[in-house]
Amino acid sequence: MQEFALTIDLVDDEQAIAEYVRHHAEVWPEVIRDLRSVGITDMRIWLLGRRMFMLMQARDDFEPDRDFARLEASSPRYNEWQRLMDTFQSRVPEAQADEHWATMSKVFDLSDYH
C-alpha cells in the first residue's frame, strides 16, 4: 500500500469554498468508481481556511502520472469533475511547475517508534 500527502489552496472566496465543500458532500458516483478503478483505495481531504490537505492511499502498483493520465484518457465524467474542481483550486506557492496538488514530504511517523 502506498500513501500520498498532497496540498492545494482554494480560491479566496467564502462562497466558492462553501460550494466546493458541498460538491464533496455529494461526489459524483462515476468519480468514485473511476478513482477506485485506477488503484486508489482511500482518499481523505481536510480543509483549514483556504488550505487543503489530502491523504491518498493506493495499491502498490499505482503510479500517479501513469494512472491519472489513463483515467483522464478514458473518463469524460472524471474530466468534467476535474475541470469543475479546478475552478475552485489555486496551486500553493511551493508547488513544482508540473504539480497542481503539491506533494508533501513525510517528516514524522509515530509507527516508526515501537
Side-chain angles (χ1 to χ4, degrees):
M1 188 70 58
Q2 297 184 75
E3 195 169 61
F4 302 87
L6 305 158
T7 190
I8 199 166
D9 284 339
L10 292 177
V11 296
D12 192 8
D13 179 311
E14 288 183 28
Q15 289 180 336
I17 292 170
E19 187 174 346
Y20 184 88
V21 170
R22 277 193 302 276
H23 280 294
H24 280 79
E26 298 180 12
V27 177
W28 302 343
E30 302 92 339
V31 172
I32 300 298
R33 180 201 64 217
D34 290 346
L35 290 170
R36 288 183 173 145
S37 77
V38 295
I40 297 170
T41 59
D42 198 10
M43 181 182 284
R44 295 184 179 105
I45 301 173
W46 289 265
L47 175 64
L48 176 63
R50 295 178 49 219
R51 180 68 44 104
M52 292 198 307
F53 163 71
M54 177 169 52
L55 183 62
M56 183 175 71
Q57 294 179 331
R59 295 185 314 236
D60 287 336
D61 63 343
F62 177 78
E63 204 296 311
D65 291 337
R66 178 198 67 208
D67 292 324
F68 279 122
R70 182 167 54 98
L71 180 55
E72 291 167 5
S74 67
S75 177
R77 189 70 165 154
Y78 175 81
N79 287 321
E80 182 182 352
W81 173 266
Q82 247 348 103
R83 282 191 305 276
L84 177 60
M85 294 306 105
D86 288 350
T87 67
F88 299 103
Q89 298 170 342
S90 174
R91 290 171 14 115
V92 296
E94 301 85 358
Q96 299 297 311
D98 63 342
E99 290 181 316
H100 185 67
W101 281 80
T103 303
M104 302 176 82
S105 300
K106 185 189 314 184
V107 295
F108 177 78
D109 188 335
L110 183 62
S111 68
D112 291 341
Y113 298 88
H114 305 283

